[in-house]
Amino acid sequence: MFFERPDSGEIAVLVHIDFYDQTENYGPEEFIELSISAGADPVAVVEGSRQRPDPRYFIGSGKLEEIKDIVLREEAQVVLFDHALSPSQERNLESHLNCRVLDRTGLILDIFAQRARTHEGKLQVELAQLQHMSTRLIRGWTHLERQKGGIGMRGPGETQLETDRRLLRERIKAIQKRLDKVNSQRDQSRRSRSRSAVPTVSLVGYTNAGKSTLFNKATGAEVYAADQLFATLDPTLRRLDVEQIGSIVLADTVGFIRQLPHRLVKAFQATLKESSEADLLLHVVDCADIARDDNIKEVDAVLEEIGANEVPVLKVFNKIDALETGEPRIDRDENGKPYRVWVSAKEGIGIGLLQQAIAELLGEDIINDKLVVPSDQGRFRAMLFEQGAVRSEEYDDLGRSVLEVSLPKKDFMQLLARAGISEDQVVAA
């Protein structure tokens, strides 16, 4: 597959190989989008199939020469592989092709580095990049490896290599320490929201499914949104008023992608914790994408990896404006519980239905009621105030405290247990 000669940007040759032993093989379309998102100008996509990767070059000798011919003819500056390459395979390919070689992980890391805006986001990306780089340091010192023996010539390459590795280890430790501090601050914020009985709803989904557009439409925020992969990385939190529930916190998080590098998942652990500790996940799906079912599986896999697979999920089928018969609606299960909402974030269609579904799902686990607390249960009353769950208080003719409360049911049950009383001892007004 060839493209027109680009006017600007790094000229790139893309490589996509299908393997017989893989249960699922995907086309190169998404990888082409990734390369363009990184600022590359692909001039050709080399495709092929193999039984298994070649241990030295990943590809066979025939494909290797085909790529080399294209690199020379097109004067390509980089060859991008839609696969994970070992450090030795990258070195061997660069030596044979005489140009830079980057695998899928390196390409995604480069995109993340370009898109990170906040201090935390930049730290997370740098950590992942340094961890990835630490296994590939030797590539930069191959000229010193050739110096074998001779007076004054023993081991300068290894000495430089060890120095770089030590500097990398120190930098990684420093970044990890700063990220631990950020993580601690996020935990404190989450505890504060929990004490205030404010539910958290987190947006998750495949990259470019329209999460940020939906976030902006629902909250009136101005998070950067564009029709490209990984348009936004940094998490954003906004308060949103939902009828019958009150205030909730809506969190926009980084999009997922097929074969998302494990180092990135680990580096963004503090950010992704917003999803694993949310009260509800909104799984945003591009319903017009022909690969939507596969994308849903990929997101589910990442949610399981970060420990968010037990959080209740409401699927949001976005971009119904791209369907011929797309209509906003709520799909319910056999118990009448919402499990999917059809919307168009771009056109603002179905946002009211989405809020209705959120209210129904959160309302099952949130107590919004008036409680009559007897005078001898002052400890329980104090706990409710300490939790930030009391909206108003008045007294009845018997001098009992009548409290209007709002808090998650699990917190309510914990308070009852701590106060040593049963639910029927607190009378509903």
Side-chain angles (χ1 to χ4, degrees), residues 246-264:
S247 292
I248 67 170
V249 171
L250 192 63
D252 184 23
T253 59
V254 62
F256 303 149
I257 197 170
R258 192 172 298 114
Q259 300 174 37
L260 187 66
H262 180 73
R263 285 190 180 91
L264 271 178

Side-chain angles (χ1 to χ4, degrees), residues 259-272:
Q259 300 174 37
L260 187 66
H262 180 73
R263 285 190 180 91
L264 271 178
V265 175
K266 190 174 180 181
F268 277 75
Q269 201 69 42
T271 300
L272 296 174

Side-chain angles (χ1 to χ4, degrees), residues 201-204 280-285 311-317 330-331 337-341 353-359 361:
V201 177
S202 182
L203 290 166
V204 298
L280 177 67
L281 296 179
L282 300 185
H283 181 169
V284 184
V285 179
V311 181
V313 176
L314 173 66
K315 284 190 172 62
V316 182
F317 273 32
I330 297 177
D331 291 340
K337 186 176 177 180
Y339 71 91
R340 184 169 57 205
V341 184
L353 292 176
L354 175 60
Q355 292 200 15
Q356 177 187 331
I358 292 173
L361 292 173

Side-chain angles (χ1 to χ4, degrees), residues 301-318:
V302 177
L303 290 177
E304 185 173 0
E305 186 175 352
I306 65 175
N309 53 318
E310 298 297 325
V311 181
V313 176
L314 173 66
K315 284 190 172 62
V316 182
F317 273 32
N318 188 28

Side-chain angles (χ1 to χ4, degrees), residues 30 34 47 77 114 154 187 225 259 337 387 427:
E30 182 181 84
L34 272 176
E47 298 183 68
Q77 298 155 295
Q114 293 180 46
R154 292 184 177 90
D187 286 341
Q259 300 174 37
K337 186 176 177 180
Q387 187 81 3
V427 184

